[in-house]
Amino acid sequence: MNGNCLTHGYADGRYVLPPLPYEVTEMEPVVNTQNLLLHHDKHHAAYVAGANAAAEELRRINNGSLGGELAPYCTQKLTFNLAGHILHTLYWHNLSPLPQDLPFGLLADVMSRSFGSYDAFYRLFTGVAENVQGSGWAVLGVDSVSRRLMVCGITRHQDVLVPAFMPLLACDVWEHAYYPTWKNNRKGYIEAFMRHINWKFVSQLYENLV
């Protein structure tokens, strides 16, 4: 899953915090400027730092500088932080400052075959996002075994890091993503997210897989 999602999040052998693909003020009123800055500059940056630290620790284990008994802990630390980095990188590019039209082209055709209609997909995706217990993500992706589109809810970042699932669209429903703007109105935030999906970006990701 990493290739498509990390195009903007990896450089010179290290994970990097990608710049937002729009001005920070442009996502008002979906997410207010202060909320967006906190989410990108603090939360996402922490995942990048954590992934780089864990990757370096694993390198030191492999060259004998650290004991091998630390490998399981460092691996868990890397998968959590790297998955957080991947999903957040995807999330920023999934959003468009301007309200968007419905999916189009090949992706629209496949969504109709997979879910019956866009409306059915909308109900499924928003229902998953609203009902992820506690904090987590709603994700649309491709099951690379069946080649079918799937919607899943995840409560831990690393749960989506499986080779057979390629995410295309991710809605962050951790409270830090929306609470300063929407308070406890998760549904309002999700509906605003759905109106501002960058379907051109999502379609390009899909077409790169097929």
Side-chain angles (χ1 to χ4, degrees), residues 43-52 80-82 84-85 88 157 174 176:
H43 287 280
H44 188 174
Y47 292 123
V48 174
N52 281 318
F80 177 77
N81 284 286
L82 179 55
H85 176 35
H88 280 89
H157 291 161
W174 285 67
H176 65 247

Side-chain angles (χ1 to χ4, degrees), residues 2-116:
N2 299 9
N4 284 324
C5 302
L6 271 184
T7 301
H8 306 280
Y10 183 84
D12 299 324
R14 290 180 59 81
Y15 303 110
V16 297
L17 180 67
L20 292 169
Y22 31 73
E23 295 298 324
V24 68
T25 56
E26 289 184 301
M27 286 314 303
E28 300 257 9
V30 179
V31 180
N32 70 42
T33 298
Q34 183 179 7
N35 191 169
L36 191 60
L37 283 171
L38 176 67
H39 194 178
H40 178 267
D41 294 1
K42 299 299 183 182
H43 287 280
H44 188 174
Y47 292 123
V48 174
N52 281 318
E56 179 58 29
E57 288 167 352
L58 282 171
R59 294 185 193 103
R60 293 174 63 195
I61 289 169
N62 280 272
N63 69 21
S65 301
L66 285 177
E69 71 278 3
L70 295 175
Y73 165 74
C74 294
T75 302
Q76 183 182 38
K77 181 178 170 183
L78 176 60
T79 56
F80 177 77
N81 284 286
L82 179 55
H85 176 35
I86 289 170
L87 287 169
H88 280 89
T89 300
L90 182 62
Y91 174 73
W92 305 128
H93 286 84
N94 283 157
L95 285 168
S96 167
L98 298 175
Q100 297 291 292
D101 294 328
L102 301 182
F104 56 89
L106 179 61
L107 178 62
D109 294 340
V110 174
M111 288 180 74
S112 292
R113 292 199 299 270
S114 297
F115 305 111

Side-chain angles (χ1 to χ4, degrees), residues 136-148:
W137 299 77
V139 181
L140 167 70
V142 177
D143 170 21
S144 60
V145 176
S146 68
R147 310 305 293 178
R148 292 181 61 85

Side-chain angles (χ1 to χ4, degrees), residues 184-203:
N184 63 335
N185 184 12
R186 181 190 283 198
K187 182 176 181 180
Y189 158 72
I190 294 167
E191 290 174 347
F193 173 89
M194 298 299 291
R195 290 193 298 271
H196 287 263
I197 293 172
N198 185 344
W199 285 114
K200 181 178 180 180
F201 177 82
V202 178
S203 294

